[in-house]
Amino acid sequence: MPLAGRRILLVIAGGIAAYKCLELIRRLRERGVSVRCVLTKAGAHFVTPMSLAALSEQPVHEDLFALTDDFGMSHIRASREADLLVVAPATANLIAKMAHGLADDLASTLLLASDKPILLAPSMNVVMWRHPATQANLAILHGRGVLQVGPGAGELACGEEGDGRLAEVPQIIAAVEAALGGAGPLAGRRALVTSGPTVEPIDPVRYIANRSSGKQGHAIAQALQELGASVTLVSGPVHLPDPTGVTVVKVETAREMLAACQAALPADLAVCAAAVADWRVAAPSAEKTKKADGVPPPTLQMVANPDILATLAAPGPARPKLVVGFAAETENLIDHAKAKLARKGCDLIVANDVSPSSGTFGGDDNQVHLVGAGGVEAWPPLSKVLVARRLAAHLAELLKGNV
Ligand code: C5P
């Protein structure tokens, strides 16, 4: 049962189809899914908190400022605890609020604060559905990676006929499964991702590191997992939560990272997003190096670290079918990326500008170029999460038919 143990935050907006979410909750609970419900003010006209609480076996949340309910106040944490946010029914109003970043109640605030995939199940009158405003709002949301199931066509509660019926419960469950990876295009595939910096000791208290935050690598691990891959993330020290449903191996040095990567093989694909230190101190001191009057500062003798990407990409029976590297450059991005592709022997280089003015290191956004044997593909500026989702979908496509 791929859905067992997964956590869904179900947002119920004010549409007549809200009653169908009771059935949805029952079917999800049968599959071992934990469901937490958030009801909008309008939603509460169509379905009672009592029924939702009874079926979900969890408290139902309605108010952003309820003093008796710490869920609303800690909406950031609440939005992060779920693996997936499902909006069913998603009304024209809530879709519009999401598209324009409004956060004037608990549901819209949670949706804006979330960094998890969002699945919309729209339901509304056919004219509202077809209205250019609704379609334009949905196009904005699709561009941000928001998923959608339905609506279907048929007789609507308002008596009119046409598009706008909430997707049937089995259809919504299939979409949830796909969004959570159970039946995604990478189901059955093993993926290895490196992320974050490495730190190389000078002595027991000092080290050499770099500015990598791990945000891009962690987002890639999560996106591959969302498409169904079984993911091992080998990460240097970062200040990020572990991605959900991913095996995380924490390391410090480049040599530890290489050993952890090799232990995670075989894999179908490897994405090396870590900023690995090129050199380490040849002989780190066993004791803290002391300063003393008249003693000159120490000179550090460095030696080269192993190249993890080149090692994984080297021909051999253990080579993953797809090996992807990153090129973090401050100048001549594409030329350097092309040279790196050849030098490392990998299949694809994701090139990104990390000059201080780009804000890439530590920031939430990234602008990348994909450099492969087939040429260069420029992507627009996107959040790191969207770069990750788009890259995961691209890799799934490349792996298709590659048994
Ligand atoms: O050689 P350079 O560091 O510019 O190459 C960047 C790419 O190589 C990244 O994908 C990075 O994860 C990988 N790399 C590695 N091991 C190293 C150095 C870089 O895997 N020692």
Side-chain angles (χ1 to χ4, degrees):
M1 279 214 302
L3 288 182
R6 310 310 296 276
R7 291 161 304 180
I8 287 180
L9 194 69
L10 176 62
V11 176
I12 302 142
I16 184 74
Y19 74 92
K20 289 193 189 167
C21 71
L22 298 175
E23 175 73 5
L24 175 64
I25 296 166
R26 285 191 59 187
R27 299 295 160 236
L28 287 168
R29 296 289 301 129
E30 276 171 10
R31 287 167 170 77
V33 179
S34 145
V35 183
R36 246 182 197 247
C37 296
V38 172
L39 194 54
T40 68
K41 214 170 171 179
H45 288 292
F46 295 94
V47 60
T48 68
M50 185 81 87
S51 326
L52 296 174
L55 289 175
S56 68
E57 299 167 89
Q58 300 216 43
V60 174
H61 310 279
E62 300 177 74
D63 191 351
L64 189 54
F65 301 110
L67 289 176
T68 51
D69 178 0
D70 73 347
F71 186 88
M73 298 302 275
S74 58
H75 51 267
I76 307 277
R77 182 172 50 80
S79 69
R80 305 282 160 83
E81 278 172 357
D83 299 312
L84 175 71
L85 278 71
V86 177
V87 188
T91 55
N93 180 53
L94 188 50
I95 289 169
K97 288 197 332 190
M98 287 173 71
H100 298 284
L102 297 185
D104 62 354
D105 63 1
L106 180 59
S108 51
T109 305
L110 284 168
L111 287 160
L112 192 63
S114 171
D115 59 356
K116 293 295 164 58
I118 299 175
L119 172 67
L120 299 179
S123 166
M124 65 197 74
N125 165 273
V126 58
V127 179
M128 291 169 84
W129 170 252
R130 291 195 184 154
H131 197 288
T134 303
Q135 293 304 317
N137 290 334
L138 280 165
I140 291 174
L141 294 176
H142 294 159
R144 292 184 198 144
V146 170
L147 306 165
Q148 185 184 318
V149 54
E155 193 188 328
L156 303 173
C158 54
E160 290 184 28
E161 191 71 34
D163 303 330
R165 272 171 72 92
L166 185 73
E168 298 304 324
V169 169
Q171 223 186 327
I172 299 178
I173 292 196
V176 165
E177 267 177 343
L180 286 175
L186 289 175
R189 301 286 195 179
R190 286 167 61 103
L192 166 65
V193 180
T194 70
S195 182
T198 62
V199 301
E200 306 292 341
I202 297 170
D203 66 25
V205 295
R206 303 184 179 92
Y207 59 78
I208 296 172
N210 62 66
R211 294 184 191 279
S212 169
S213 66
K215 284 181 182 170
Q216 187 63 81
H218 276 53
I220 290 168
Q222 188 71 79
L224 292 168
Q225 184 274 341
E226 284 165 11
L227 294 190
S230 156
V231 182
T232 299
L233 171 66
V234 181
S235 175
V238 293
H239 301 284
L240 293 173
D242 291 347
T244 41
V246 166
T247 304
V248 183
V249 183
K250 293 178 183 172
V251 297
E252 296 213 330
T253 67
R255 287 189 296 175
E256 287 169 7
M257 187 173 272
L258 175 60
C261 287
Q262 285 172 326
L265 294 176
D268 296 288
L269 74 147
V271 181
C272 293
V276 185
D278 290 319
W279 309 283
R280 67 178 183 276
V281 177
S285 167
E287 306 297 336
K288 183 183 171 192
T289 313
K290 292 296 216 186
K291 66 181 171 206
D293 287 344
V295 178
T299 304
L300 294 176
Q301 176 71 42
M302 311 287 279
V303 290
N305 262 332
D307 192 310
I308 299 165
L309 174 60
T311 308
L312 293 176
R319 187 194 193 276
K321 297 176 187 85
L322 261 185
V323 181
V324 182
F326 270 69
E329 303 289 349
T330 54
E331 48 168 10
N332 298 337
L333 189 62
I334 305 299
D335 288 346
H336 280 130
K338 284 181 179 163
K340 205 162 289 185
L341 186 71
R343 194 170 70 243
K344 306 263 188 177
C346 56
D347 305 293
L348 199 64
I349 286 280
V350 181
N352 55 351
D353 179 359
V354 292
S355 55
S357 61
S358 72
T360 303
F361 259 141
D364 289 326
D365 298 322
N366 204 355
Q367 180 164 17
V368 305
H369 289 73
L370 251 53
V371 181
V376 180
E377 200 179 304
W379 286 6
L382 294 166
S383 70
K384 287 181 178 173
V385 170
L386 284 186
V387 167
R389 290 205 188 127
R390 196 164 161 171
L391 181 65
H394 186 79
L395 298 179
E397 202 55 39
L398 290 177
L399 270 180
K400 236 190 218 168
N402 187 340
V403 192

